[in-house]
Structures are given as structure tokens and as C-alpha cells.
Amino acid sequence: MALLPILCYPDPRLHTVAKPVQAVDARVKKLIGEMLETMYDADGIGLAATQVDVHERLVVIDVSAGRNTPLVLINPEITWASDEKQVNDEGCLSVPGIYDGVERSSAIKVTALDGEGQSRVIEAEGMLAVCIQHEMDHLLGKVFVEYLSPLKRNRIKTKMLKARRDTERA
Ligand code: NI
């Protein structure tokens, strides 16, 4: 197992639209293991394959307090979303240090394959619903800062690029 490098906004590769996973085979299972390890190491609650530069429809999530309840969603599709919306502060491993409010459906139903390739239906609300919607956006090439005003987004972009330059110089 190995930690995978996480792409940072505004890396253009974060805007790639992911393709469906063709088969839950050894390659995909290895990727799931590495994505989980990377997510836990970075103290995140979710990671989409897009963020590690693999453009296939796969996300890993763990919103549990004990950090011991991984959820793997392969080829996820939202089949129902509540009309009721709520605004939650979101963050993202690809936009470190930035947290801001995004409005999303309060509850959703999702179909997906799990890490063993078994078909599953997940009903989610609260933080899990937010996290699934956030991660599924990544698969469409969308980063949460794109919901913010252009002014805020540009400020974040500038901050991220400066942070990258500082790292490269160090
Ligand atoms: Ni994210």
C-alpha cells in the first residue's frame, strides 16, 4: 500500500469527468485500499478517485467518529434527492484550509457498487448526505469552491497558487 498524491485546486485535472469503473477487479481493490489509506492519513472524511488523478467513478468515505467505518461507492448514482436543502460548511483535501457554506439536499438515495462489486442502495442524511454529494461532484469535475461567488473563488485560487509557490521555494 502507498499514499497517493492528492491534486490541489486549481489543478485543471480536478475538472476531468470520470468514466464508470468497468470491473471491481484486483486493480480497483488495490486502488480502494490506497485511497482509504490516503484519506485517513490526510484526516479527511471523503476522497474521490478524481482527486488522486484516477478518472473513474469511485469514492471512499468515512464520516464515523471512530474512523473505522469505510464506505466505498463505485459508479454511484443519486436516485432521489430531497427538495429540502441545507447549508453546511464544507472543506476538501484538494483545497486545504478552506471551509465555506454550500447548499445541498438534506437527504438523498444513492445506488452504487460496494468494494466487493455488490449492488447497494444507501439512504443518507446529515453529514453523510453532504459528503456523498461533495464527492460525487468531484467525479463530474466539480470542486465545492465552484459554488461560491467568483470573488471568493478567485481569492481562494490566488491563495492556493501562492501556497504552492511557497512550498516549491521551501
Ligand atoms: Ni473534496
Side-chain angles (χ1 to χ4, degrees), residues 6-149:
I6 298 174
L7 300 179
C8 265
Y9 184 80
D11 192 309
R13 289 171 289 182
L14 286 170
H15 303 302
T16 311
V17 177
K19 296 197 162 54
V21 171
Q22 293 300 331
V24 184
D25 54 14
R27 177 189 68 91
V28 168
K29 287 180 183 175
K30 177 166 180 269
L31 175 62
I32 291 168
E34 291 176 341
M35 283 175 60
L36 281 167
E37 197 182 345
T38 302
M39 176 186 76
Y40 287 126
D41 180 73
D43 235 349
I45 60 171
L47 185 68
T50 307
Q51 293 176 274
V52 293
D53 204 21
V54 175
H55 302 287
E56 298 179 47
R57 295 184 57 80
L58 163 61
V59 307
V60 298
I61 288 173
D62 191 342
V63 295
S64 71
R67 315 287 291 145
N68 55 8
T69 315
L71 177 66
V72 176
L73 301 179
I74 298 170
N75 299 340
E77 298 294 339
I78 293 179
T79 56
W80 174 82
S82 65
D83 291 333
E84 193 197 325
K85 313 265 185 188
Q86 63 184 50
V87 177
N88 287 283
D89 264 2
E90 296 186 16
C92 180
L93 293 177
S94 292
V95 199
I98 304 293
Y99 301 87
D100 214 323
V102 176
E103 184 184 77
R104 299 193 188 268
S105 291
S106 315
I108 53 168
K109 250 184 225 180
V110 179
T111 61
L113 300 179
D114 66 16
E116 298 300 322
Q118 300 298 310
S119 184
R120 292 189 51 185
V121 177
I122 295 116
E123 294 186 29
E125 55 181 20
M127 207 206 302
L128 181 58
V130 171
C131 189
I132 291 174
Q133 291 172 86
H134 174 117
E135 300 310 329
M136 285 183 66
D137 270 353
H138 277 301
L139 302 179
L140 296 174
K142 188 160 186 175
V143 180
F144 86 99
V145 296
E146 289 167 70
Y147 289 102
L148 308 177
S149 69

